[in-house]
Amino acid sequence: MSNNERTFIAIKPDGVQRGLISSIIGRFENRGFKLVGIKLVQPTESLLREHYDDLQSKPFFPSLLSYMLSGPVLATVWEGKDVVKQGRAILGATNPLQSAPGTIRGDFAIDMGRNVCHGSDSVESANKEIGLWFKKEELVEYKPALFSWIYE
């Protein structure tokens, strides 16, 4: 069985600065998703403008841009069955106060402007975001030893 759906998950500057990287990665690993790309980056303004292209007309965009430029971001790509939808569920609602306990945002965030992480909201946006943040050769193809214990 091939599970080639991929999603882009970024741990934002507040999550990196607060030392939440291992806790967040662990949620995806524990669920059974496969990590196929990871790097710590200081994003450029042009990368962020392209990534958040759909939000540039919003009044909060300048503060979002400033926040995302304030420190390093951990960019990751995860692969697995229904990983885009499931990744969003693991992250919780965009507004942390509406996120259930047990989700990343429900456990680690309070303000929407410091919501710890980003997750693609569709397969199409995942493909776009992965292409913005990663070169094709930075993504790894492999079959985890535990694969048959996760998928039928």
Side-chain angles (χ1 to χ4, degrees):
M1 176 178 183
S2 176
N3 291 294
N4 292 329
E5 185 174 297
R6 289 181 171 176
T7 195
F8 175 75
I9 302 292
I11 301 175
K12 295 178 180 180
D14 56 325
V16 173
Q17 292 289 343
R18 291 176 55 201
L20 299 175
I21 290 172
S22 62
S23 296
I24 293 169
I25 288 176
R27 303 273 180 113
F28 286 86
E29 287 181 322
N30 290 342
R31 184 68 187 265
F33 293 119
K34 177 172 73 169
L35 181 64
V36 297
I38 185 169
K39 62 182 175 179
L40 188 65
V41 297
Q42 181 65 54
T44 63
E45 184 173 333
S46 62
L47 171 64
L48 293 170
R49 284 186 179 280
E50 195 168 355
H51 179 89
Y52 290 114
D53 184 53
D54 59 324
L55 301 178
Q56 289 197 45
S57 64
K58 304 286 184 184
F60 61 81
F61 184 75
S63 64
L64 172 63
L65 190 60
S66 175
Y67 157 60
M68 290 298 292
L69 288 167
S70 70
V73 170
L74 188 77
T76 66
V77 179
W78 294 90
E79 185 176 289
K81 185 177 184 179
D82 202 26
V83 71
V84 172
K85 181 179 175 186
Q86 296 306 313
R88 299 281 294 181
I90 291 167
L91 296 180
T94 302
N95 182 343
L97 294 178
Q98 297 171 353
S99 292
T103 64
I104 291 168
R105 291 176 178 141
D107 290 349
F108 299 126
I110 295 173
D111 281 337
M112 191 150 53
R114 298 292 182 269
N115 67 0
V116 181
C117 44
H118 164 85
S120 301
D121 61 6
S122 68
V123 172
E124 295 75 25
S125 66
N127 291 333
K128 175 192 168 213
E129 292 167 356
I130 292 166
L132 286 173
W133 291 80
F134 287 88
K135 297 174 187 162
K136 187 176 180 174
E137 61 269 16
E138 293 176 312
L139 302 176
V140 180
E141 299 283 342
Y142 66 101
K143 182 177 178 182
L146 297 174
F147 192 81
S148 64
W149 296 106
I150 296 169
Y151 295 103
E152 294 182 287

